[in-house]
Amino acid sequence: MRFIFKTGYDQDIDLARHGGQRFWYGLLMLALLAAPWVLPDYWLAQLVFIFIYAIVAVGLMLLAGFTGQFSIGHAAFMGVGAYAEAYLMARGWPFPLSLACAMGLSAAAGVVVGLPALRVKGMYLGIATLSFGFIVEEVMARWESVTGGSAGRTVPSPSMFGWTLDDSTSFYFLCLACMVGSTLAVLNLLRSPTGRAFVAIRDSEVSAQSMGIQLARYKSLSFAISAALAGLGGALYAHKIQFISPEQFSLVQSIDLLLIVVIGGLGSMHGAFLGAIFLIVMPQLIGLAKGVLPSGIGEAAGLQGFVYGVVLIAFVMLEPMGLYGRWLKVRTWLELYPFYRRGMFKRQKSFQKSERLK
């Protein structure tokens, strides 16, 4: 399996770097294609949620990991996409058109939020995106004629070309196709001059501007693409649970999305998927642990939040590169064994290059 894209030059870029990657990615794709006939419905539903959160995480990774623009209100873009999809589908729009409009509205919201990024950055940009999240949540709760208010609204099953995707298998393949398409599109983008401009802005805005990169243009574009993917994930999320309400796109959801990219590994496309798997699997593991923990601990209301906090602190202190960074160290250890040096895999000090230019 080879994924080759034209770069605009004489040389093509193969997304799989060597035959081993093509083999394992191909094997993974075959396993995902066979999953509906092997796994029970419950685990198939968990895979669908992993696909949906992976789509959103890929967009947030493009924004935070490759452009250096953090968003603490990213669930708002999911909400815009989810409510736009529900509203248009309820009025008989075909699914492909409603999905495209949901992504377009989310991208437009991303451009609006990206405007403060032209003048502020760091903590102040996070506050701006957080404020946007609160505004969108309030609008969703008050605009009852469109959103249904706090009572929420139901979402019909997607239908296109006379075919309704009302069974778990067909919707699974729809989410899988959207995830693969989004990932390939972002990977191709990162290998283009636009992607290199994103990385240059992340490393040093001063250096990027001195090379002729228009900060306003590329920051706005990064926000728009990231928001569009969040809108896509929100639309699929709405179809999956078939009911949406403003509480589902609150600050807690935004923190969960931020956890995905931080725990998965900033600046890594693999980290987006590892973080999405972590977000879905961790509650299952906590539920299993409740059976063996003392009743006073296992039945505590804030157990899941406590575990998330401990895991996040552990990664920040011990492995700032996330799950993917840890996997790279394990792989290197296996490749070098037994010719490795002690201390080779200790925690390294990491910082953004732009901090040296302030």
Side-chain angles (χ1 to χ4, degrees):
M1 181 184 298
R2 300 188 70 188
F3 303 105
I4 299 179
F5 293 94
K6 296 291 184 178
T7 62
Y9 304 98
D10 294 333
Q11 185 179 4
D12 296 332
I13 293 179
D14 192 350
L15 292 180
R17 298 180 180 178
H18 48 76
Q21 283 190 350
R22 285 190 287 271
F23 171 78
W24 288 110
Y25 289 153
L27 187 62
L28 175 61
M29 183 56 62
L30 289 177
L32 293 177
L33 291 175
W37 293 277
V38 177
L39 297 178
D41 291 340
Y42 174 78
W43 291 110
L44 197 65
Q46 299 306 306
L47 275 179
V48 169
F49 281 117
I50 289 176
F51 296 161
I52 292 173
Y53 278 108
I55 293 172
V56 182
V58 165
L60 186 55
M61 187 67 74
L62 176 68
L63 178 67
F66 292 97
T67 316
Q69 309 297 308
F70 280 89
S71 173
I72 313 180
H74 219 65
F77 301 123
M78 286 187 65
V80 171
Y83 275 104
E85 178 71 12
Y87 182 82
L88 295 177
M89 286 291 293
R91 275 148 184 78
W93 285 45
F95 174 69
L97 184 58
S98 64
L99 189 64
C101 289
M103 294 178 63
L105 287 174
S106 298
V111 173
V112 173
V113 178
L115 294 179
L118 307 181
R119 294 185 176 272
V120 299
K121 55 184 177 181
M123 180 184 66
Y124 300 103
L125 178 59
I127 293 175
T129 57
L130 179 63
S131 302
F132 174 76
F134 287 140
I135 293 172
V136 170
E137 186 179 357
E138 190 67 19
V139 170
M140 290 187 295
R142 301 297 180 182
W143 199 1
E144 297 183 0
S145 61
V146 174
T147 65
S150 299
R153 66 178 304 158
T154 58
V155 183
S157 299
S159 59
M160 52 184 176
F161 311 116
W163 180 32
T164 302
L165 308 178
D166 54 357
D167 61 297
S168 58
T169 301
S170 59
F171 189 75
Y172 169 87
F173 284 117
L174 172 65
C175 294
L176 176 61
C178 290
M179 182 197 69
V180 173
S182 301
T183 304
L184 293 179
V186 172
L187 285 174
N188 190 31
L189 177 66
L190 290 174
R191 286 160 169 77
S192 69
T194 302
R196 291 192 290 270
F198 288 160
V199 175
I201 293 174
R202 178 199 65 186
D203 291 343
S204 172
E205 292 188 7
V206 176
S207 300
Q209 197 169 18
S210 67
M211 291 186 294
I213 296 175
Q214 300 178 12
L215 299 184
R217 173 186 176 185
Y218 286 102
K219 283 184 177 181
S220 300
L221 180 61
S222 179
F223 264 99
I225 296 174
S226 179
L229 291 178
L232 172 60
L236 296 176
Y237 179 82
H239 283 299
K240 176 58 182 175
I241 62 177
Q242 297 186 339
F243 178 83
I244 52 176
S245 61
E247 304 84 41
Q248 295 167 335
F249 308 103
S250 62
L251 175 62
V252 176
Q253 181 76 289
S254 297
I255 297 300
D256 286 342
L257 297 177
L258 199 58
L259 277 175
I260 290 178
V261 296
V262 172
I263 293 179
L266 277 173
S268 164
M269 291 297 294
H270 292 86
F273 294 92
L274 293 175
I277 294 172
F278 168 85
L279 186 67
I280 299 302
V281 172
M282 183 56 68
Q284 315 296 329
L285 297 179
I286 294 175
L288 293 176
K290 288 182 178 180
V292 298
L293 291 174
S295 58
I297 299 177
E299 298 176 1
L303 179 61
Q304 181 170 329
F306 173 78
V307 173
Y308 276 21
V310 170
V311 171
L312 180 60
I313 293 173
F315 271 99
V316 170
M317 295 182 61
L318 304 176
E319 188 50 81
M321 296 182 66
L323 291 171
Y324 186 65
R326 176 53 53 180
W327 158 244
L328 290 179
K329 293 178 181 179
V330 172
R331 187 184 68 182
T332 304
W333 183 86
L334 293 174
E335 291 175 350
L336 296 179
Y337 184 84
F339 305 104
Y340 63 93
R341 295 182 291 106
R342 291 189 61 183
M344 181 181 295
F345 303 103
K346 288 184 178 180
R347 180 193 183 278
Q348 72 281 2
K349 294 182 179 180
S350 62
F351 55 93
Q352 290 185 344
K353 295 181 180 179
S354 57
E355 293 178 356
R356 297 181 297 183
L357 301 177
K358 292 181 179 179

